[in-house]
Amino acid sequence: MKKMKAIQIEEYGDESVLQYTDVERPKPKADEILVKIHAASVNPIDWKIRDGRGKALGKQLPLILGADFAGIIEEIGSEITKFKVHEAVYGKILTGCYAEYVIVKETELGRKPKNLNYNEAAAIPMGALTSWQAIFETAKLKSGQKILIHAASGGVGSMAVQLAKAKGAYVIGTASARNIEFVKNLGVDEFIDYTSTNFEEVVKDVDVVFDTVGGDTLARSFQVLKKGGFLVTIVEKPSQELAKKHGVTAQHIASRPNPEQFEEITQLVEQNKVKPHVEKILPLSEAKEAQQLSKAGHTRGKIILTP
């Protein structure tokens, strides 16, 4: 029985439940692929699952955390047709990436962009797919339209800014003053420092709001939309009462793997229209620190773990 290193939880709780341990290395079934992980990125969903959301999602303990990764295909099942052994890939699942190896389906993978290393590639899938599905698939953002993106310096927000710009939208981004240069370099047309300015006092008539913050920020966002506009959030269910009052549509989404979107995202990355930002690289054994940094909420782009 082959073993691998992984970060596993046997109970829900704070970062003290994260265990760096030896577990059995998985074997791919006929329709599965075994990927040797070179880098995994840290996402808020990881520590939310760890805190207890895993129960609501029907996850079984013990559980290996981690939602997106980059690596090399080690082994493929007999039914796999789109990928070959030794191909460099990146992908998105819900759990399982804080490890040396991960089992995935064909639909959960894309070919790693040729112009990125593994750490950079691992910083893309969750943020880019979430943004794509929120702003293009759900809110139907089009070229020439105006979008307000909250937390524009974060792992998801920084991807959303670049994708919206790549598709020809006018982008307004909120972040704290320390991130002004970073967010402007992503390509925003307008920057709002949320620590000194109430965005609803300076933004009017946008077509789409993309919220990655929730709470009060989400509630205040209804005021800046034009009639018929669209508010999309990845944090919580938005108030349908407020949506009705303001004559807009409001929806919560959770991202999922999508091979066609993966391909389009990879093309934009290879055309240098979308670039990941890696804030910090830590060894897998330091997942506790990585999750603490992520939960503190001041990260630009992504924190990466390397097995």
Side-chain angles (χ1 to χ4, degrees):
M1 187 193 296
K2 289 182 178 169
K3 294 280 194 181
M4 67 173 183
K5 289 287 186 195
I7 295 287
Q8 187 169 268
I9 63 167
E10 291 178 2
E11 59 182 319
Y12 295 113
D14 63 16
E15 59 274 352
S16 67
V17 302
L18 299 174
Q19 297 175 7
Y20 182 57
T21 185
D22 289 304
V23 299
E24 194 177 331
R25 186 172 129 184
K27 284 281 296 173
K29 294 179 186 141
D31 63 342
E32 292 177 336
I33 296 168
L34 180 73
V35 177
K36 181 175 172 56
I37 292 179
H38 284 235
S41 89
V42 177
N43 295 284
I45 189 66
D46 304 343
W47 46 262
K48 287 177 182 174
I49 287 173
R50 182 208 74 203
D51 281 349
R53 194 183 285 185
K55 267 185 238 168
L57 294 168
K59 289 285 172 188
Q60 300 290 315
L61 295 170
L63 178 64
I64 296 169
L65 297 168
D68 50 3
F69 63 92
I72 288 181
I73 293 176
E74 181 96 355
E75 213 181 310
I76 58 171
S78 57
E79 292 170 17
I80 300 300
T81 56
K82 292 185 182 145
F83 293 94
K84 297 182 181 72
V85 172
H86 304 316
E87 266 192 289
V89 291
Y90 66 155
K92 175 201 175 300
I93 51 178
L94 187 58
T95 54
C97 305
Y98 288 11
E100 291 182 301
Y101 294 87
V102 68
I103 290 279
V104 292
K105 304 277 192 191
E106 261 185 344
T107 52
E108 296 167 332
L109 280 185
R111 284 181 178 82
K112 181 180 80 66
K114 293 182 182 71
N115 56 335
L116 299 186
N117 63 35
Y118 289 101
N119 293 333
E120 293 166 331
I124 287 184
M126 174 69 97
L129 282 170
T130 301
S131 299
W132 189 286
Q133 288 160 17
I135 61 183
F136 302 138
E137 191 179 85
T138 306
K140 305 281 191 287
L141 180 74
K142 292 174 182 63
S143 177
Q145 287 190 322
K146 203 180 265 196
I147 182 171
L148 171 64
I149 296 169
H150 289 304
S153 61
V156 176
S158 60
M159 283 288 146
V161 169
Q162 295 177 80
L163 288 169
K165 284 304 295 176
K167 295 283 181 179
Y170 182 93
V171 179
I172 306 163
T174 69
S176 63
R178 78 179 189 94
N179 288 312
I180 184 164
E181 285 312 311
F182 175 66
V183 174
K184 283 188 170 173
N185 287 336
L186 294 172
V188 292
D189 297 284
E190 282 180 53
F191 176 88
I192 296 168
D193 171 10
Y194 74 86
T195 63
S196 65
T197 306
N198 290 326
F199 66 85
E200 70 274 21
E201 290 169 12
V202 291
V203 179
K204 291 281 174 282
D205 295 330
V206 298
D207 300 281
V208 175
V209 172
F210 181 31
D211 166 59
T212 68
V213 180
D216 180 50
T217 299
L218 171 59
R220 285 155 49 213
S221 293
F222 285 97
Q223 302 170 43
V224 307
L225 284 159
K226 59 166 67 159
K227 281 265 187 291
F230 206 115
L231 187 153
V232 60
T233 176
I234 57 170
V235 187
E236 61 198 77
K237 287 197 163 54
S239 162
Q240 294 308 315
E241 221 171 286
L242 281 175
K244 201 172 171 185
K245 179 185 161 191
H246 290 277
V248 301
T249 306
Q251 200 173 320
H252 170 265
I253 71 136
S255 64
R256 62 191 194 288
N258 182 303
E260 291 76 30
Q261 291 169 0
F262 241 146
E263 240 164 77
E264 290 194 64
I265 289 161
T266 303
Q267 281 175 12
L268 289 172
V269 173
E270 289 182 341
Q271 291 161 7
N272 289 312
K273 290 182 178 171
V274 173
K275 291 176 183 171
H277 180 79
V278 175
E279 168 99 333
K280 201 174 182 79
I281 300 165
L282 291 167
L284 183 61
S285 55
E286 290 178 31
K288 287 180 186 176
E289 187 194 335
Q291 288 201 349
Q292 282 170 334
L293 288 168
S294 171
K295 201 168 183 179
H298 302 302
T299 307
R300 282 182 192 160
K302 282 296 183 76
I303 300 161
I304 300 295
L305 293 171
T306 56

